[in-house]
Amino acid sequence: MDPELWPRPEGWTAVGLVGHLALAYDPERQPFLVGEGEPIPLERDVVNHALVAAVDRAGMKVWPGGWTHALPAAFGLNKRTTQRDRIERQGLHPAVLLALGQAATHSDADGIGGLLVAIASYADRYGDGYGDLGVALDRAEDAAGKAADILRSVRRPRSLRNRDGFG
């Protein structure tokens, strides 16, 4: 949702497309359509009702086994916040909608979803005591690199497996 392609006022968050226009939220979380001329205000209730299906579609791309537990775990949300009836009444924070939409656009969305939950879980579990989410996520990113290095030491091309004694 590049601001050059979807111009919007400063501080607004564009979260996805509705037809050929972008759905954007102002800082007070009021929804608008942007992209051609002046922003068009939308009724929050109508948007929230439509969000239930949109979140379900995107969530199933990212977490095909079910998103109702994975989405709050990955994004650090209360599970009640992401229940369908609650989304219909109150919507979701624009940052959550944007992040979910970004994850869902990848061809490997389900792999990204698994990583989101794993990295968030690591940061939540082992980032305690740092009091800074950025530090906790940095530690999780470092740990993911270490895990990848461990996998590299064991998972080798087929041509090397038998030579190194791996089946």
Side-chain angles (χ1 to χ4, degrees), residues 2 10 24 41 53 61 66-67 92 99-100 104 111 116 118 137 141 150 154 156 158:
D2 184 348
E10 184 72 27
K61 286 181 182 178
W67 60 267
L92 283 173
L100 178 60
L116 288 170
L137 287 172
E141 184 178 22
I150 291 168
V154 176
R156 299 174 184 250
R158 290 194 185 275

Side-chain angles (χ1 to χ4, degrees), residues 10 26-27 32 46 52 54-55 98 109 114 117-118 123 125-126 141 149-150 156 159 161:
E10 184 72 27
D26 70 8
F32 291 83
V46 172
V52 174
V55 167
L98 179 58
V117 171
R125 184 165 181 190
Y126 299 105
E141 184 178 22
D149 289 343
I150 291 168
R156 299 174 184 250
S159 61
R161 286 186 185 168

Side-chain angles (χ1 to χ4, degrees), residues 13-96:
T13 304
V15 299
L17 295 176
V18 177
H20 64 282
L21 298 174
L23 173 62
Y25 288 85
D26 70 8
E28 287 79 40
R29 292 179 59 180
Q30 295 296 318
F32 291 83
L33 288 177
V34 298
E36 295 176 357
E38 291 296 314
I40 302 166
L42 299 172
E43 290 185 43
R44 189 183 305 206
D45 293 342
V46 172
V47 172
N48 290 347
H49 181 75
L51 278 179
V52 174
V55 167
D56 190 52
R57 279 191 308 275
M60 290 305 289
K61 286 181 182 178
V62 180
W63 297 288
W67 60 267
T68 58
H69 295 287
L71 186 142
F75 296 153
L77 303 171
N78 182 305
K79 288 180 186 174
R80 180 74 181 115
T81 301
T82 61
Q83 290 180 345
R84 287 173 174 88
D85 66 317
R86 187 74 162 271
I87 294 171
E88 188 166 2
R89 280 195 320 275
Q90 298 179 349
L92 283 173
H93 193 282
V96 172

Side-chain angles (χ1 to χ4, degrees), residues 94-133:
V96 172
L97 295 172
L98 179 58
L100 178 60
Q102 289 171 333
T105 61
H106 292 278
S107 62
D108 58 348
D110 59 330
I112 296 290
L115 288 171
L116 288 170
V117 171
I119 290 170
S121 174
Y122 186 96
D124 291 344
R125 184 165 181 190
Y126 299 105
D128 282 349
Y130 290 94
D132 182 343
L133 180 60

